[in-house]
Amino acid sequence: MAASSSITTSSTTSKLLFTSSSTSTAARLLPFTTTSSFKCRAFHFHRHRFNPLLHVHVGPFKNPRIVFTHSTNRPPSSFVSAALATEASAKVIDGKKVAKEIRDEVAAEVSKMKEAIGVVPGLAVILVGDRKDSATYVRNKKKACEDVGIKSFDARLPEDSTEEEVIKHISGFNNDPAVHGILVQLPLPSHINEQNVLNAVCIEKDVDGFHPLNIGRLAMRGREPLFVPCTPKGCIELLHRYGVVIKGKRAVVIGRSNIVGMPAALLLQREDATVSVVHSRTKNPEEFTREADIIISAVGQANMVKGSWIKPGAVIIDVGINPVEDSKSPRGYRLVGDVCYDEAIKIASAITPVPGGVGPMTIAMLLSNTLTSAKRIHNFK
Ligand code: GUN
């Protein structure tokens, strides 16, 4: 039975065809004995040599899609030239654009709330130590708050702060009525027990969604967390806003971190996907990813997911932000995802770029969670 899905973009309402049943069958039958990198279109074709009868679906793709429906030994030569003249290109999921739309929506709501009841949502951020990356994230979060009219509070504590000192700051923010959301930037220095710190955030202000009660509720059927972790929430929001059907699909999450992988898998399951989690101890992870209609990768390994790991027509959400050496870049490096983008874009039906995909969504979701918290605390609809 064909299980085709469609993708619509909120802004264009264009339809993307998933290359569903026929290609999933083809994908399962493919020998995948070639190397994972597709250097040219001819090679791309060569990879499918046992499934050569082509159908070209012309949708909103810039170029026709190549779909295989059944096997013979060689493609007719006219199809070979057609394949060489065309190249499938996935829809690029524009996280930057969606995040801007969400920030604008939050800004409008914040100003409505201020006007109606005189309350300004407040977010407190606690940063312990001097990790450069964490300092950058915190700076970006503060700036994003200012831009939408959320008041930000911060506590910057030295690397050698004690757990008690960190928890004292959390308690202060728990009791401050001007603060509606509390975020402790992770990772914490290794001498501090992360669990004790996260447990100290009151769940009504846990806008990161990392409190075990919120995570526990996320995992349980029939229970509702007060907040959902921002990055995985952003991944699901992208799928929703691009009209990707999740219900009944096979999804693979690569990585099982508390911040992204684990909650992403729980969220997909709540959306009625059938979910596999692939992690560092998984044998032959590509066998799982090749079955997936939706891949969320959050593993932090540059270009780990090759084209040969991807089922044709899959939707790919790449959470990884990994620096790789690049002598052509003024900084000497550039950022890439977990997924080999150049290969994946020829096989997937939609993909998030790095940068500009999931990254901007994390902060947008944090702002949205902070607004939700302020509304809930003040019973403002
Ligand atoms: N470190 C990396 N990602 C996150 C996040 O989403 N929240 C917090 N608090 N720390 C992080």
Side-chain angles (χ1 to χ4, degrees):
M1 201 36 208
S4 75
S5 297
S6 66
I7 299 173
T8 52
T9 62
S10 57
S11 46
T12 63
T13 66
S14 60
K15 286 251 174 203
L16 294 188
L17 293 169
F18 263 44
T19 52
S20 58
S21 60
S22 56
T23 45
S24 62
T25 306
R28 257 178 260 125
L29 294 173
L30 284 172
F32 286 106
T33 49
T34 54
T35 72
S36 55
S37 70
F38 308 143
K39 295 240 162 28
C40 64
R41 277 168 268 162
F43 189 26
H44 178 65
F45 199 94
H46 171 70
R47 178 173 163 261
H48 297 285
R49 66 194 180 281
F50 297 112
N51 299 271
L53 194 62
L54 299 179
H55 278 206
V56 178
H57 287 211
V58 183
F61 296 98
K62 274 189 244 108
N63 302 306
R65 305 239 67 192
I66 299 167
V67 179
F68 299 89
T69 51
H70 61 85
S71 301
T72 60
N73 277 340
R74 271 190 325 111
S77 57
S78 58
F79 282 140
V80 175
S81 53
L84 289 172
T86 60
E87 188 173 289
S89 183
K91 176 94 190 162
V92 176
I93 297 176
D94 189 344
K96 209 167 151 188
K97 191 179 104 203
V98 173
K100 163 98 176 55
E101 285 168 10
I102 292 168
R103 288 200 312 270
D104 290 347
E105 289 160 19
V106 170
E109 290 281 298
V110 166
S111 112
K112 214 165 88 184
M113 188 173 175
K114 187 177 172 186
E115 211 163 282
I117 59 169
V119 171
V120 174
L123 174 69
V125 179
I126 298 172
L127 174 62
V128 188
D130 24 57
R131 277 179 69 116
K132 263 192 168 169
D133 57 348
S134 291
T136 305
Y137 290 135
V138 166
R139 199 169 48 245
N140 292 343
K141 285 168 186 176
K142 256 182 90 84
K143 163 88 173 55
C145 282
E146 277 164 30
D147 291 347
V148 299
I150 290 177
K151 190 165 165 43
S152 70
F153 302 79
D154 65 2
R156 284 165 191 256
L157 309 179
E159 179 84 21
D160 59 359
S161 303
T162 63
E163 197 174 298
E164 291 69 33
E165 282 167 334
V166 178
I167 290 176
K168 215 171 101 194
H169 278 84
I170 294 174
S171 300
F173 289 133
N174 280 342
N175 296 321
D176 185 342
V179 172
H180 305 95
I182 301 169
L183 177 152
V184 182
Q185 187 64 32
L186 301 177
L188 288 164
S190 56
H191 65 279
I192 296 178
N193 183 316
E194 182 185 293
Q195 199 176 329
N196 293 343
V197 167
L198 296 180
N199 283 354
V201 176
C202 81
I203 65 161
E204 287 80 12
K205 297 188 180 184
D206 176 36
V207 286
D208 246 338
F210 292 159
H211 192 287
L213 258 180
N214 276 322
I215 290 285
R217 289 182 186 176
L218 183 67
M220 293 172 82
R221 281 175 70 76
R223 306 289 166 87
E224 289 300 324
L226 292 176
F227 301 98
V228 170
C230 300
T231 303
K233 187 179 179 186
C235 296
I236 302 296
E237 187 68 25
L238 284 176
L239 294 173
H240 285 165
R241 292 208 181 206
Y242 274 77
V244 176
V245 176
I246 304 174
K247 188 176 181 157
K249 298 296 170 189
R250 291 183 186 202
V252 161
V253 177
I254 310 176
R256 53 178 167 175
S257 69
N258 288 341
I259 294 179
V260 188
M262 176 270 290
L266 294 176
L267 279 172
L268 285 165
Q269 197 166 295
R270 286 176 83 94
E271 298 263 344
D272 296 327
T274 302
V275 184
S276 304
V277 177
V278 164
H279 49 76
S280 56
R281 303 298 162 97
T282 303
K283 293 202 175 83
N284 305 323
E286 64 278 13
E287 287 175 9
F288 294 86
T289 57
R290 273 181 209 138
E291 297 281 329
D293 303 301
I294 297 167
I295 298 175
I296 296 183
S297 184
V299 77
Q301 291 279 328
N303 298 323
M304 186 186 88
V305 179
K306 309 294 180 200
S308 61
W309 290 35
I310 298 164
K311 172 175 165 178
V315 174
I316 300 175
I317 305 292
D318 191 350
V319 182
I321 304 178
N322 311 296
V324 293
E325 243 181 63
D326 182 359
S327 55
K328 286 188 222 121
S329 157
R331 295 176 298 184
Y333 71 93
R334 72 194 150 86
L335 298 174
V336 301
D338 293 346
V339 178
C340 191
Y341 188 83
D342 293 346
E343 296 177 5
I345 198 156
K346 296 173 193 160
I347 300 162
S349 65
I351 184 167
T352 56
V354 176
V358 176
M361 291 298 289
T362 299
I363 292 186
M365 291 298 109
L366 175 66
L367 302 175
S368 167
N369 280 356
T370 305
L371 171 67
T372 301
S373 179
K375 281 181 164 181
R376 186 158 42 217
I377 289 169
H378 292 278
N379 198 21
F380 181 72
K381 303 284 178 220

